[in-house]
Amino acid sequence: MGLVVQKYGGSSVADAEGIKRVARRIVDTKKAGHQVVVVVSAMGDTTDELIDLAEQVSPIPAGREFDMLLTAGERISMALLAMAIKNLGHEAQSFTGSQAGVITDSVHNKARIIDVTPGRIRTALDEGNIAIVAGFQGVSQDKKDITTLGRGGSDTTAVALAAALDAEVCEIYTDVDGVFTADPRVVKKARKMDWIAFEDMLELASSGSKVLLHRCVEYARRYNIPIHVRSSFSGLPGTWVSNEPPQGDRPMEQAIISGVSHDTSEAKITVVGVPDKPGEAATIFRAIADAEINIDMVVQNVSAAATGLTDISFTLPKTEGHKAMEALTRAQSVIAFDSLRYDDQIGKISLVGAGMKTNPGVTATFFEALSNAGVNIELISTSEIRISVVTRVDDVKPAVQAVHSAFGLDSDSDEAVVYGGTGR
Ligand code: ADP
Ligand code: ASP
Ligand code: MG
């Protein structure tokens, strides 16, 4: 029996009862003979509440202090969980990200893990303890400051520790029974998958399925760590995410379409009246990159012949909207565009599936479904295994439901269960 890393998300430890329930589950795993490392998120919506609080004090807080504040959430849950386990008669020790050896770069609020040196975790395990690690945080290699890994970052902590400790599996416990063909909060008839390949999960995660964080899946693929996504509220087997389908009595096949994802966390910026000559787009995106902002979709309109001016639109996380508008305003002296438009009432819908490469007609069916649902499309982007569109935010729900049905993904059995969480 090997080492297991288990990660419990905020909804699984939302209150004292949740913490005690999770503690029992951890103890059961230990009793089954495993060494157990647990990564825990902040309780319920604690992180959002801390962010709201910071905004009331300072609209653009310093990254270092913001990270210091946010890591407090995970510290609360790790200590309470260790106490609950001890109360069940088992030994547990809690560790901050820094104590657990999670070393990052120094980009506050979205630091990247560059090394994991889990010496103290190894020692704790060797001494027979259950190790509890605060998710979503680390310490910067150069300045030794406390950093956070970006929203949902506990998933990445879990996989990084699983890789560093050579764990058998990384179990991600959440408030739904696994990875579904769409967000069960939006599509009641979403179907749970038994298995999904890393490649498809990466696309789902990067296009908004927050059940797993994109970076965590990337990390798991690089180190070939199988992930088991499952509910902490039920005993049901969840979804395996790995390179190859597990060999069971019933072989699992790769579906043509894996699922439909959506994302309402992005905004759209349009740079209006950009001179249509070489170098202008480069200057715009250099200004955005220098502000350390990641962008997603980009479109440039055909320029009006009469004026020689064009519009360039791109999407980015809403949380970066303010910074991006400032960076572009500063760049206006160089680029000489007319104006900037900011729109945060957008949503993105994506269809993901490896079978897209070889099955003609997928794109046509996708657009027909949107058209039948009366949804207007503002931007389009594609990859080999994904099609994404941007629409008005109010159209997202009907669009996801329409596309899900059009590809025959609706389940005819049980409705997907959402056990907890607020969906925030
Ligand atoms: P945790 O607090 O456990 O990290 P999250 O809220 O980050 O949980 O992720 C779980 C949520 O992800 C679910 O409650 C569900 O609403 C959402 N979700 C989005 N897309 C999917 C999907 N394809 N399958 C399952 N859940 C999804
Ligand atoms: N508590 C952090 C968040 O809400 C990290 C996590 O839950 O993964 O984003
Ligand atoms: Mg999460």
Side-chain angles (χ1 to χ4, degrees):
M1 297 260 188
L3 192 155
V4 175
V5 174
Q6 300 186 327
K7 177 255 172 178
Y8 292 91
S11 50
S12 296
V13 291
D15 50 21
E17 258 332 293
I19 288 181
K20 289 197 258 181
R21 183 173 46 82
V22 163
R24 285 194 292 275
R25 203 163 183 135
I26 295 166
V27 165
D28 286 346
T29 314
K30 168 87 176 163
K31 279 193 194 152
H34 295 280
Q35 287 191 310
V36 193
V37 175
V38 175
V39 173
V40 70
S41 290
M43 295 171 72
D45 289 333
T46 301
T47 308
D48 290 295
E49 285 154 15
L50 291 172
I51 292 172
D52 291 349
L53 195 59
E55 271 166 8
Q56 289 171 44
V57 175
S58 159
I60 311 177
R64 182 183 184 280
E65 304 314 323
F66 195 54
D67 276 352
M68 201 59 118
L69 174 72
L70 295 194
T71 53
E74 269 71 11
R75 279 193 179 221
I76 295 172
S77 45
M78 74 178 191
L80 289 172
L81 190 53
M83 290 176 199
I85 291 172
K86 283 189 195 217
N87 199 43
L88 295 175
H90 287 257
E91 286 308 314
Q93 280 181 349
S94 63
F95 298 91
T96 64
S98 165
Q99 290 174 325
V102 180
I103 318 286
T104 71
D105 62 18
S106 45
V107 183
H108 283 293
N109 308 334
K110 51 181 176 191
R112 273 185 178 270
I113 297 177
I114 49 186
D115 197 9
V116 183
T117 52
R120 292 189 67 179
I121 305 297
R122 275 263 180 243
T123 308
L125 293 174
D126 290 345
E127 289 170 354
N129 288 294
I130 294 167
I132 316 285
V133 179
F136 158 72
Q137 54 179 274
V139 60
S140 66
Q141 194 167 45
D142 50 358
K143 295 195 188 136
K144 306 285 179 278
D145 276 330
I146 297 301
T147 53
T148 62
L149 309 177
R151 299 306 309 272
S154 299
D155 293 350
T156 316
T157 307
V159 170
L161 276 170
L165 293 164
D166 201 18
E168 229 165 56
V169 57
C170 180
E171 296 184 321
I172 304 277
Y173 285 93
T174 184
D175 54 11
V176 289
D177 280 314
V179 182
F180 285 72
T181 47
D183 186 342
R185 284 178 208 272
V186 171
V187 180
K188 287 279 159 245
K189 287 188 159 298
R191 193 185 301 166
K192 193 193 86 191
M193 297 177 236
D194 294 329
W195 171 74
I196 179 169
F198 281 135
E199 190 190 16
D200 285 41
M201 192 63 232
L202 268 177
E203 291 282 346
L204 281 179
S206 63
S207 56
S209 299
K210 69 168 182 166
V211 61
L212 280 184
L213 196 74
H214 175 259
R215 246 188 222 175
C216 131
V217 187
E218 225 171 36
Y219 212 104
R221 179 164 71 164
R222 185 166 350 125
Y223 293 94
N224 200 14
I225 306 290
I227 302 178
H228 188 188
V229 183
R230 53 196 306 194
S231 166
S232 71
F233 297 80
S234 79
L236 298 172
T239 303
W240 285 89
V241 189
S242 60
N243 261 327
E244 297 287 330
Q247 300 301 318
D249 355 321
R250 199 162 47 96
M252 300 175 187
E253 275 183 33
Q254 181 138 10
I256 293 176
I257 298 297
S258 285
V260 189
S261 56
H262 71 279
D263 189 357
T264 52
S265 70
E266 293 193 340
K268 180 172 79 173
I269 290 180
T270 303
V271 189
V272 182
V274 181
D276 195 3
K277 59 179 205 291
E280 298 299 286
T283 315
I284 290 174
F285 291 114
R286 172 51 57 199
I288 296 294
D290 287 347
E292 306 213 27
I293 297 168
N294 288 319
I295 58 160
D296 182 16
M297 293 159 93
V298 181
V299 286
Q300 174 173 338
N301 291 339
V302 180
S303 67
T307 58
L309 296 177
T310 182
D311 295 347
I312 295 180
S313 297
F314 63 92
T315 61
L316 76 174
K318 273 180 200 167
T319 47
E320 307 277 29
H322 198 83
K323 215 161 65 170
M325 291 295 277
E326 275 185 356
L328 288 171
T329 306
R330 276 197 304 275
Q332 192 165 14
S333 54
V334 192
I335 312 169
F337 55 82
D338 286 345
S339 60
L340 292 172
R341 267 208 304 268
Y342 183 74
D343 178 359
D344 60 6
Q345 293 301 301
I346 61 159
K348 182 172 74 173
I349 298 112
S350 306
L351 180 72
V352 171
M356 244 180 238
K357 289 183 229 176
T358 46
N359 281 272
V362 169
T363 310
T365 307
F366 179 69
F367 286 110
E368 278 157 14
L370 293 174
S371 142
N372 292 339
V375 172
N376 189 44
I377 296 160
E378 301 183 14
L379 303 179
I380 303 172
S381 84
T382 59
S383 83
E384 241 193 340
I385 65 165
R386 177 184 48 78
I387 317 172
S388 303
V389 295
V390 164
T391 67
R392 289 292 91 203
V393 69
D394 294 338
D395 284 338
V396 166
K397 215 169 168 169
V400 172
Q401 288 163 345
V403 171
H404 195 267
S405 295
F407 282 93
L409 297 173
D410 288 354
S411 102
D412 35 31
S413 55
D414 296 323
E415 289 199 340
V417 185
V418 178
Y419 296 92
T422 55
R424 186 169 171 181

